[in-house]
């Protein structure tokens, strides 16, 4: 849909509205047309008595049928519609093969740099002195650049969660930044400002920092430390071979749990190094519709569960993350099927934890998603500005989702800790 034409249409219907009001009405008409697959003429009709107030009211009512009456006015977020602020995502399947590989001088002789040379013989390799502004201008081209670097400062931190949310005491280790999958909801689209894949070569330094660390444990038996925040923990593991150092380290440190969080099936390194009770390999899982329509390039659920069975058989424990749960017509039936498939496939006594969180995103991320994935359906739900400044489904819809999914998971996996991720404390405490 052409934004200028849409604006012109709204301006023709209500010629006297100012810039800000035009912006709000254009956004509402756009979102309704996109969701309902209708033309602007079917959404906003010219009439003698139509005013900005009456037009906005009828559009809000149609765009937010569930929340219109109960939400506060300032919970509706109606920013300027801009569909050209970033390049659309390239959804042509292709292997990860960077055009340029930058290697920082201190790690030029590292095993990771040597493997990168063997993996990508046709790439251009450049040595650089320190971390500099490398990478593509646009996020959609980030996989064209790989940076192998020496991390000096940013090793470990407590998970910042979301401001005011009920935390779970998680601890993050920053092993890598960037991903080659294209999940439409991925926060890296808005968060990552160096448009490249960054992989540290000095894993020993990370492990030394962990050894000196003291960690929160939240409501869990042992502190949990994990690497899947700014990248997928395993998607590059054949190249990085981080698992070859991490697993033996945690075999010696049974006081902590380490979590690899992934959607990939790149488990060769884990199988090679052998299982470990306090290493939890976790998969993000979702309904088949979300996996096939919004998690581009990721393996399907059946493959993820088959990989989970293999690592469990090798001696690892398992985790699962129903995150983000996306609410759409028929979502409960689809998510029930995912739970059923898990229950039919997995060794239940091996599952350590399962988290659940409904889709949420920052205002900036909303704009990135609608620009990079103009045919997305994940933004068609009713999202309101919430307690932490993020956009979430209204409370009634979130509660409905949790009341459906959490008992179902607890019934099927009675030994696993089932918990909510990044939720409002007064909702979290109900579960
Ligand atoms: S797998 Fe994770 S890090 Fe990779 S694109 Fe998807 S959400 Fe982002």
């Amino acid at each position: 849909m052409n934004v200028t034409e849409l604006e012109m249409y709204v301006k023709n219907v209500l010629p006297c509205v100012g810039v800000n009001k035009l912006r709000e009405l254009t956004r509402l008409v756009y979102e309704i047309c996109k969701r309902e697959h209708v033309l602007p003429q079917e959404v906003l009709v010219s009439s003698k008595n139509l005013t900005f107030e009456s037009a906005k009211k009828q559009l809000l009512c149609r765009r937010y049928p569930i929340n219109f009456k109960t939400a506060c006015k300032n919970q509706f977020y109606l920013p300027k519609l801009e569909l050209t602020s970033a390049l659309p995502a390239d959804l042509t399947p292709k292997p990860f093969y960077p055009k340029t590989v930058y290697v920082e001088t201190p790690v030029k002789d590292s095993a990771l740099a040597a493997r990168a040379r063997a993996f990508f013989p046709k790439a251009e390799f450049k040595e650089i002195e320190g971390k500099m502004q490398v990478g593509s201008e646009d996020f959609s081209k980030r996989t064209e650049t790989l940076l192998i670097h020496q991390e000096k400062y940013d090793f470990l931190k407590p998970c910042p969660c979301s401001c005011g949310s009920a935390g779970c005491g998680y601890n993050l280790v920053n092993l890598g930044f960037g991903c080659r999958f294209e999940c439409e909801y991925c926060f890296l689209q808005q968060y990552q400002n160096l448009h490249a894949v960054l992989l540290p070569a000095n894993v020993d330094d990370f492990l030394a920092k962990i050894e000196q660390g003291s960690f929160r444990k939240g409501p869990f038996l042992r502190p949990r430390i994990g690497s899947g925040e700014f990248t997928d923990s395993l998607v590059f593991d054949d190249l990085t071979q981080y698992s070859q150092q991490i697993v033996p380290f945690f075999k010696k440190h049974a006081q902590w749990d380490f979590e690899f969080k992934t959607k990939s099936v790149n488990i060769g390194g884990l199988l090679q190094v052998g299982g470990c009770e306090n290493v939890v390999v976790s998969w993000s899982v979702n309904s088949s519709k979300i996996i096939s329509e919004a998690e581009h390039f990721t393996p399907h659920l059946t493959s993820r569960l088959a990989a989970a069975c293999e690592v469990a058989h090798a001696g690892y424990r398992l985790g699962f993350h129903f995150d983000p749960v996306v609410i759409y017509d028929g979502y409960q039936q689809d998510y029930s099927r995912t739970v059923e498939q898990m229950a039919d496939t997995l060794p239940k006594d091996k599952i350590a934890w399962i988290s659940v969180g409904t889709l949420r995103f920052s205002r900036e991320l909303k704009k990135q998603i609608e620009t990079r994935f103009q045919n997305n359906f994940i933004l068609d739900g009713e999202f309101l500005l919430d307690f932490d400044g993020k956009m979430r489904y209204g409370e009634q819809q979130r509660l409905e989702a949790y009341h459906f999914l959490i008992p179902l998971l607890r019934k099927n996996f009675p030994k696993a800790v089932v918990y909510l991720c990044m939720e409002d404390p007064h909702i979290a405490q109900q579960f």
Side-chain angles (χ1 to χ4, degrees):
M1 192 180 305
N2 181 317
V3 179
T4 314
E5 281 171 17
L6 187 53
E7 256 176 16
M8 292 284 288
Y9 174 75
V10 175
K11 195 141 185 62
N12 270 338
V13 174
L14 281 163
C16 296
V17 296
V19 177
N20 291 337
K21 290 177 176 175
L22 178 66
R23 183 199 75 197
E24 291 191 346
L25 297 181
T26 305
R27 153 116 354 233
L28 283 165
V29 173
Y30 166 77
E31 292 191 4
I32 294 167
C33 290
K34 173 177 165 289
R35 182 173 65 186
E36 299 181 11
H37 306 289
V38 292
L39 294 169
Q41 293 78 351
E42 297 168 72
V43 175
L44 186 67
V45 183
S46 183
S47 80
K48 203 168 74 181
N49 297 326
L50 193 71
T51 61
F52 166 73
E53 285 72 24
S54 61
K56 183 173 172 183
K57 190 172 170 192
Q58 57 167 277
L59 292 173
L60 279 175
C61 182
R62 184 157 168 183
R63 174 65 184 89
Y64 298 93
I66 299 169
N67 294 288
F68 173 66
K69 286 200 177 128
T70 49
C72 300
K73 283 198 171 54
N74 59 6
Q75 285 189 284
F76 300 115
Y77 177 56
L78 306 172
K80 185 171 168 50
L81 184 62
E82 292 167 304
L83 300 179
T84 51
S85 55
L87 287 179
D90 177 1
L91 299 181
T92 326
K94 52 185 168 312
F96 173 60
Y97 202 111
K99 288 183 182 163
T100 314
V101 181
Y102 294 92
V103 184
E104 286 185 357
T105 307
V107 292
K108 70 178 173 26
D109 298 322
S110 61
L112 178 54
R115 269 195 304 277
R117 286 192 184 90
F119 268 60
F120 311 118
K122 291 186 187 149
E124 184 182 10
F125 278 74
K126 293 185 183 172
E127 192 180 317
I128 55 173
E129 285 299 325
K131 205 187 273 184
M132 27 184 257
Q133 195 63 31
V134 300
S136 306
E137 278 185 11
D138 197 278
F139 182 81
S140 295
K141 296 197 169 179
R142 69 201 178 281
T143 53
E144 292 181 359
T145 310
L146 171 62
L147 170 63
I148 296 174
H149 68 106
Q150 181 188 38
E151 184 55 63
K152 291 194 183 119
Y153 314 105
D154 204 2
F155 295 99
L156 285 168
K157 64 177 170 220
C159 175
C161 197
S162 188
C163 183
S165 297
C168 67
Y170 203 75
N171 304 280
L172 300 173
V173 54
N174 252 350
L175 266 172
F177 213 118
C179 184
R180 72 178 188 82
F181 294 145
E182 278 285 9
C183 302
E184 294 189 355
Y185 50 76
C186 180
F187 85 109
L188 292 177
Q189 298 172 84
Q190 166 261 317
Y191 189 80
Q192 189 173 12
N193 48 24
L194 210 60
H195 297 147
V197 173
L198 278 65
L199 299 173
N202 54 328
V203 180
D204 291 344
D205 293 337
F206 282 83
L207 299 180
K209 291 281 178 196
I210 294 174
E211 199 139 37
Q212 297 153 14
S214 66
F215 299 103
R216 317 172 298 170
K217 71 181 183 72
F220 291 82
L221 271 184
R222 291 185 285 253
R224 299 181 308 151
I225 307 166
S227 63
E229 181 72 0
F230 301 116
T231 181
D232 178 294
S233 298
L234 292 176
V235 67
F236 301 119
D237 196 58
D238 49 337
L239 169 66
T240 62
Q241 297 193 5
Y242 292 155
S243 58
Q244 305 301 296
Q245 285 173 268
I246 291 172
V247 175
F249 175 87
F250 280 91
K251 277 185 181 168
K252 288 193 232 138
H253 293 91
Q255 71 273 32
W256 301 314
D257 279 335
F258 185 85
E259 181 182 37
F260 291 98
K261 238 188 231 179
T262 192
K263 291 188 179 96
S264 82
V265 292
N266 200 3
I267 55 170
L270 290 174
L271 298 179
Q272 194 183 328
V273 73
C276 176
E277 263 292 303
N278 58 315
V279 171
V280 175
V281 191
S282 292
W283 272 267
S284 297
V285 284
N286 222 303
S287 69
S288 285
K289 180 175 171 70
I290 293 298
I291 293 175
S292 57
E293 294 182 34
E295 296 181 349
H296 307 282
F297 309 143
T298 65
H300 203 266
L301 181 67
T302 311
S303 311
R304 295 183 204 179
L305 297 184
C309 289
E310 273 195 80
V311 299
H313 188 66
Y316 295 97
R317 283 186 304 145
L318 303 175
F320 293 92
H321 300 285
F322 277 83
D323 203 341
V325 172
V326 181
I327 297 174
Y328 54 86
D329 284 348
Y331 81 99
Q332 295 200 356
Q333 209 176 14
D334 290 358
Y335 280 87
S336 297
R337 271 200 214 103
T338 296
V339 176
E340 204 177 303
Q341 202 175 333
M342 289 168 63
D344 288 348
T345 318
L346 299 166
K348 293 184 182 176
D349 56 332
K350 288 281 191 173
I351 302 179
W353 54 72
I354 305 175
S355 77
V356 179
T358 48
L359 179 59
R360 60 222 172 255
F361 44 83
S362 67
R363 289 173 253 212
E364 299 74 28
L365 181 54
K366 173 175 173 150
K367 287 200 204 166
Q368 278 289 96
I369 298 171
E370 68 186 2
T371 307
R372 299 190 68 243
F373 301 97
Q374 294 190 13
N375 297 323
N376 79 79
F377 75 92
I378 61 171
L379 294 181
D380 290 346
E382 294 191 31
F383 296 96
L384 303 172
L385 280 171
D386 208 6
F387 66 96
D388 54 355
K390 287 204 175 124
M391 310 210 58
R392 287 185 164 78
Y393 297 109
E395 194 169 311
Q396 182 197 333
Q397 280 194 295
R398 270 142 67 208
L399 282 170
E400 203 175 277
Y402 298 141
H403 278 301
F404 139 72
L405 196 50
I406 288 185
L408 187 66
L409 289 168
R410 289 198 173 127
K411 186 172 135 220
N412 279 281
F413 307 103
K415 291 190 178 158
V417 178
V418 179
Y419 66 100
L420 288 185
C421 183
M422 290 194 195
E423 241 326 330
D424 190 328
H426 95 268
I427 290 189
Q429 74 192 12
Q430 297 179 43
F431 298 91

